[in-house]
Amino acid sequence: MTLQTTATRALGAVAILAFAGTAMAQTPAPRPAAPAPVRTAAPAPAPTPVTHGPVLANVCVYYNARAVGSSSVGKFVETRLEQIVKAVNAELQTEETSIQTEAKAIDAASKTPTADQTALKKRALDLDDRIGKFRAKAELRQREVQATEQKARQRIGQEMDSVIKQVYQQRACSIVFARESFLIANPAMDITDAVTAGLNVKIQQFTFDRERLDQPLAVPPVAARPN
């Protein structure tokens, strides 16, 4: 393999990693298209009024996504996760930029007639090793962010469980249907706002950091054998 091929392959690998370094960032907004001819938009149809049937005694409805999303602790978790993702992206971007700089330097040096080809080939091989480690780190960080989000949402679910049971008893529910499983219901049977209010009283935030999945597992000490 020639040095030129090695350096070019390194540059190509770095280009592929551009996605790995920003995989957890928000998708950038597309460039605005050329303005379209102005047309008079047709008025939106008025919403059809809904007449609900009678409230079913002891039947309750609960919308978990709305309860979590509108709660103080749910909003706190979203903000904290955004901070964690931003820190991860900053870490990866710094390393990615360093790799790109080295790859370009190797590619430029390889085109110099007086360059030490042996030394440059060593640099290119070392860069290949850095790229592999960087790719592994990017994948690890993404798994860590996902594990962090899952653990945080599990904590909200644990805190919410007792609140749901409390509201269930206060409203004398005999059964609770998940709002996600049907289209429409009489809002008088909806206990979502009551659950959100109860959750806000119980907890508004809690401390959590990014999960670390690269920590070595503790090896239990070997028990000494009796003499």
Side-chain angles (χ1 to χ4, degrees):
M1 178 182 296
T2 65
L3 176 61
Q4 181 67 34
T5 303
T6 303
T8 302
R9 184 163 58 87
L11 282 168
V14 173
I16 293 173
L17 287 176
F19 172 77
T22 57
M24 287 168 284
Q26 295 181 351
T27 303
R31 295 182 179 179
V38 178
R39 298 179 181 178
T40 304
T48 304
V50 176
T51 302
H52 298 282
V55 174
L56 301 179
N58 310 116
V59 176
C60 299
V61 175
Y62 172 63
Y63 192 3
N64 185 73
R66 180 160 65 85
V68 174
S70 60
S71 67
S72 297
V73 69
K75 294 175 181 177
F76 167 79
V77 166
E78 288 298 323
T79 299
R80 180 68 185 122
L81 287 172
E82 289 176 0
Q83 294 171 347
I84 291 173
V85 169
K86 184 177 180 180
V88 167
N89 281 334
E91 174 194 4
L92 295 177
Q93 183 62 53
T94 298
E95 189 167 349
E96 181 183 344
T97 299
S98 175
I99 290 175
Q100 290 174 337
T101 300
E102 174 67 359
K104 292 175 182 178
I106 294 173
D107 186 54
S110 67
K111 300 173 183 178
T112 303
T114 59
D116 184 338
Q117 298 298 313
T118 301
L120 285 177
K121 185 174 182 179
K122 174 65 167 54
R123 286 176 63 184
L125 293 175
D126 289 343
L127 183 61
D128 275 347
D129 183 62
R130 286 181 61 187
I131 290 171
K133 291 178 179 178
F134 175 69
R135 179 182 287 109
K137 176 186 284 190
E139 294 173 351
L140 174 66
R141 291 292 181 265
Q142 186 155 3
R143 293 199 308 272
E144 288 176 341
V145 170
Q146 292 170 346
T148 303
E149 180 179 7
Q150 182 180 15
K151 188 173 181 178
R153 297 197 182 283
Q154 286 176 347
R155 170 68 185 276
I156 295 177
Q158 293 170 357
E159 299 288 351
M160 185 174 283
D161 183 65
S162 61
V163 177
I164 294 174
K165 293 176 180 177
Q166 181 181 12
V167 175
Y168 176 91
Q169 294 173 343
Q170 291 173 347
R171 296 290 184 90
C173 301
S174 294
I175 189 171
V176 177
F177 288 101
R179 178 62 183 83
E180 294 88 345
S181 63
F182 55 87
L183 294 177
I184 193 169
N186 191 317
M189 299 187 297
D190 196 319
I191 64 172
T192 303
D193 291 341
V195 171
T196 301
L199 185 62
N200 287 342
V201 172
K202 183 179 182 182
I203 186 172
Q204 296 190 353
Q205 64 182 51
F206 57 90
T207 302
F208 68 94
D209 294 311
R210 190 185 82 234
E211 292 293 304
R212 299 296 199 272
L213 302 181
D214 56 350
Q215 299 296 331
L217 297 177
V219 179
V222 179
R225 295 181 179 180
N227 295 329

